[in-house]
Amino acid sequence: MSVVEITAFQLAEGADEVAFVASDRRVQTELVPNQPGFLRRTTARRGGDWMIVTLWWSEADAVAFEATAAGHPVQVEFEAHIKPGTIRSKRFDTLD
């Protein structure tokens, strides 16, 4: 059974959307795929709401990534674009 992680947020006031998308791409190509248990990640948006869906092999893999990402320069750059207090994250177990 794998884990689906959904993270929703809004960009900070005055954030440069092009710079954010470039930063998100760095997370997706440089940071996340090198982590144990990473399966897939995609970013989506509607209006001012953004969402990232990440599929992990296990809960332990998702938790381990949190520890690895904390303070990592690519993650710090990514988070600088996000409006404080808007991040909502939840994990779900797949049924298959």
Side-chain angles (χ1 to χ4, degrees), residues 4-74:
V4 177
E5 181 177 64
I6 298 173
T7 303
F9 55 91
Q10 295 175 343
L11 295 186
E13 296 296 324
D16 180 333
E17 223 174 86
V18 172
F20 168 72
V21 170
S23 180
D24 180 64
R25 188 169 298 118
R26 285 191 70 205
V27 171
Q28 189 151 322
T29 60
E30 296 175 30
L31 182 58
V32 181
N34 302 317
Q35 304 309 309
F38 169 74
L39 300 173
R40 184 168 177 4
R41 179 182 185 274
T42 192
T43 304
R45 80 165 202 190
R46 178 160 291 187
D49 295 317
W50 292 76
M51 179 180 71
I52 296 172
V53 177
T54 308
L55 185 62
W56 295 100
W57 183 254
S58 70
E59 177 82 15
D61 293 326
V63 170
F65 174 71
E66 282 180 6
T68 299
H72 190 287
V74 172

